[in-house]
Amino acid sequence: MKTEILKPIRENIRRAGKLIRAGELVAFPTETVYGLGADGLNAMACRKIFAAKGRPSDNPLILHFSHLSKVEQAAKILPAAEKLFAAFCPGPLTIILPKTKFVPDDVTGGLSTVGVRFPDNDVARAFIKAADCPIAAPSANLSGRPSPTTPQAVYNDLRGKIEIILDGGACQFGVESTIVDVTCEVPEILRPGAITKEMLEEILGEVKVAPTITDKPRAPGMKYTHYAPKVPLTLIESSDDKIFRREIKNLRAENKIVGVMSSQELISKLDEEKIIPVTYGRRSDLKSIAANLYESLRNFDDLPAQIILAEGVEDFGLGVAIMNRLRKAATFILRD
Ligand code: AMP
Ligand code: MG
């Protein structure tokens, strides 16, 4: 199958909608990352998503909507969800709600709940309207790889497996949506994102954070298979250039070609070192670091680095989402 990257003009949006109604897959931009979409009420179509990504079938998909009136068919709208819709939708937030019988088990991995989201992206909204059904979509990467934030990144992972990628340019936020479960007594954040705990608490009152997010993996040496670049990554939870120099020296003594992914501030302090530098932005600008994070990781696919040393950021606000992804991408974690 030939994979085309198409400009989001009306004719192409219509073609994408038709493909969805025919039970096929389409990759599309959102404000967070690119999604790999299928008709969310068509079990056979949704199964194609798992096959194309190599995704385990028990990892549920999120349903994407363009309009609130369409949600009722798929999910029971709880009062907390109504408040969140009013405050943050469209936007980078997924709300977990009880599902209806119309949502196939293939979408939810057999769960009785479903994730609901309204992307804040004109191309995504036009595409969902053209398809005229909820769009089930995970991120449009091969399972285990960094999520794609450009059409080219989708192409690199899914070339030959899907017919079209709608081109919406680079994604605004760059990390996946915040996921909040409102089916429990106290709402719980299952994945951190651009809508922070503090923002949710303003609307809902008390909000918990799932232990899977806060449980810091025992360092060093825990292995992950998420968001991973093609070579091992050591996350250094510090901006101290002395620690980086020490690690670079040790690795160079083993004849390793060392890549460093970090802030501009740190890279400029390491300019004497023999490294392959990739900067993810300025330390003070977490928004740009989030937006550049996955592309920075993917940059190393085409560079000769044999190991990546990555600088951590402060674990607060949007930094929580960035650190969550970096820890999952890491093979080793070093702390001060
Ligand atoms: P992705 O869009 O690739 O980031 O994947 C969607 C993610 O949403 C899954 O990996 C789950 O963590 C989460 N998710 C989707 N539906 C549910 C649900 N019903 N309950 C809990 N988590 C969910
Ligand atoms: Mg994903």
Side-chain angles (χ1 to χ4, degrees):
M1 187 188 298
K2 187 165 175 278
T3 301
E4 289 178 86
I5 299 178
L6 299 179
K7 289 284 165 213
I9 54 172
R10 196 179 304 165
E11 181 191 325
N12 292 334
I13 299 263
R14 215 177 285 150
R15 184 173 151 201
K18 256 192 187 163
L19 275 171
I20 292 292
R21 283 198 301 280
E24 298 300 330
L25 307 181
V26 171
F28 65 102
T30 78
E31 80 278 36
T32 58
V33 302
Y34 274 72
L36 180 60
D39 177 348
L41 302 180
N42 176 341
M44 287 280 280
C46 290
R47 265 177 240 151
K48 291 182 185 172
I49 293 178
F50 292 92
K53 283 184 55 106
R55 181 176 175 106
S57 61
D58 63 353
N59 191 355
L61 310 176
I62 292 166
L63 289 184
H64 295 69
F65 294 86
S66 61
H67 201 271
L68 194 55
S69 63
K70 306 271 184 185
V71 177
E72 270 178 9
Q73 190 190 8
K76 183 173 175 215
I77 302 174
L78 302 174
E82 275 175 23
K83 291 188 202 165
L84 293 175
F85 288 149
F88 300 118
C89 297
L93 180 68
T94 296
I95 304 166
I96 304 295
L97 291 169
K99 84 172 189 77
T100 68
K101 63 180 180 192
F102 300 110
V103 179
D105 283 342
D106 301 80
V107 169
T108 63
L111 296 173
S112 60
T113 55
V114 65
V116 168
R117 167 160 139 72
F118 296 83
D120 186 15
N121 176 289
D122 289 344
V123 179
R125 289 160 67 85
F127 161 61
I128 298 167
K129 275 189 200 146
D132 198 26
C133 60
I135 297 288
S139 50
N141 51 284
L142 289 176
S143 203
R145 296 264 298 140
S147 297
T149 53
T150 63
Q152 193 58 46
V154 180
Y155 185 84
N156 291 345
D157 274 19
L158 297 178
R159 173 182 28 205
K161 295 185 173 182
I162 54 175
E163 226 173 278
I164 63 179
I165 301 166
L166 289 175
D167 182 353
C171 299
Q172 183 192 346
F173 287 103
V175 287
E176 300 82 349
S177 58
T178 303
I179 301 180
V180 62
D181 184 352
V182 297
T183 66
C184 27
E185 208 162 303
V186 179
E188 189 172 25
I189 296 174
L190 304 183
R191 178 172 72 188
I195 306 289
T196 61
K197 180 171 189 274
E198 295 73 24
M199 291 161 79
L200 292 171
E201 278 171 340
E202 266 190 41
I203 306 297
L204 298 177
E206 190 192 350
V207 173
K208 284 192 297 192
V209 176
T212 45
I213 297 171
T214 47
D215 274 1
K216 301 212 166 142
R218 273 161 290 135
M222 284 202 63
K223 183 86 187 99
Y224 294 97
T225 54
H226 263 83
Y227 312 121
K230 289 180 177 165
V231 295
L233 181 144
T234 295
L235 172 61
I236 301 182
E237 295 196 358
S238 165
S239 297
D240 186 345
D241 58 296
K242 283 194 230 66
I243 299 181
F244 276 80
R245 278 181 216 288
R246 184 192 70 204
E247 292 303 312
I248 293 164
K249 191 173 163 213
N250 290 344
L251 290 164
R252 301 253 325 131
E254 295 170 25
N255 286 320
K256 289 257 167 67
I257 304 173
V258 182
V260 172
M261 182 176 85
S262 79
S263 63
Q264 282 164 22
E265 289 88 338
L266 180 61
I267 287 288
S268 63
K269 285 191 191 161
L270 298 175
D271 65 354
E272 309 266 281
E273 302 287 333
K274 279 206 170 147
I275 53 166
I276 298 177
V278 170
T279 71
Y280 55 38
R282 297 193 75 80
R283 200 175 285 156
S284 54
D285 185 359
L286 290 181
K287 273 194 175 166
S288 80
I289 294 178
N292 291 330
L293 185 67
Y294 290 136
E295 269 305 290
S296 302
L297 285 171
R298 281 177 178 267
N299 266 337
F300 285 104
D301 292 349
D302 305 317
L303 294 169
Q306 294 165 319
I307 181 159
I308 304 164
L309 301 178
E311 177 192 358
V313 299
E314 212 185 322
D315 227 337
F316 183 77
L318 184 55
V320 177
I322 295 168
M323 286 305 284
N324 171 255
R325 304 321 190 266
L326 278 173
R327 290 186 183 123
K328 289 190 173 195
T331 319
F332 289 94
I333 299 174
L334 284 184
R335 300 208 168 87
D336 275 344

